[in-house]
Structures are given as C-alpha cells and as structure tokens.
Amino acid sequence: MSTMALAMISALFATPALAAPRSVTGGALAPCSHPGKAMTGFTRDGQCREEQDDAGSHHICIQMKPDFCTVTGQPDWCSEQMPCMGDASKQCPIGNWCVCQWAFAGYIQKAGG
C-alpha cells in the first residue's frame, strides 16, 4: 500500500481534537471545586468533565450534603478530608463534588428532590 493511501486511511480514522468541555447550557465548563475545599473531578482537576475511562460518569456538580453517602448507600467518604484545591499538600472538607449520574438520580429520588 502506498504512503499516500496509508495517510488517507489514517486521516479517515483519526480521532478529532477534543473541543473544550462545555456545560449543559453550552457555555464554558465552570470549576466545581473552590479554594479552601477538596479538589473534585474524576481526574481531580476541579471539573466534572467527560473522561473515557470514567465508568461512573462523574458529570454532575452538586453542593455536597452531609447525608449524600448515607442516602445513596455508599461508604461515608462524604465527610472525609481530601487534598485542597490550590494546595494538594493540605486536606480540606468536601464542598461541591462531581458525582455519578446514578448516585445523583438516586439521591434526588430517595431524599425527595
């Protein structure tokens, strides 16, 4: 196969460059984490963005409520201290957090909205 043919095939199957993450309203994706609170996001970058290996789909930023883990039947990681936004050498409480779609839906259903 010629070099030209290989280049054309490669171009057909190339993954396009990923666009900047967008919110559900189409605007720029705002950070979920805030200074003085724990860093969230599947990759701990402070944003609830789409990641191919994120099987839980941590796409929803919520203000963490003390009963979230209990209501959703998870171990109590909700009250743990985690590395801070802006200074990973410190531990901070969870403020806003990127949660899985299933956990958010279950929380809304069980906690009454």
Side-chain angles (χ1 to χ4, degrees), residues 1-83:
M1 188 173 288
S2 73
T3 304
M4 178 72 136
L6 286 173
M8 290 173 68
I9 291 170
S10 293
L12 286 173
F13 293 100
T15 303
L18 295 176
R22 306 306 255 166
S23 74
V24 295
T25 61
L29 186 62
C32 184
S33 298
H34 298 286
K37 297 295 181 179
M39 183 68 83
T40 190
F42 181 71
T43 60
R44 296 296 187 261
D45 65 355
Q47 295 188 323
C48 307
R49 66 175 79 234
E50 177 75 24
E51 296 291 335
Q52 287 188 352
D53 54 344
D54 178 10
S57 298
H58 294 79
H59 300 156
I60 301 170
C61 179
I62 66 167
Q63 181 180 13
M64 184 57 69
K65 301 292 183 189
D67 66 344
F68 184 82
C69 285
T70 305
V71 170
T72 58
Q74 299 180 63
D76 188 21
W77 55 265
C78 298
S79 61
E80 292 180 9
Q81 300 266 321
M82 298 189 187

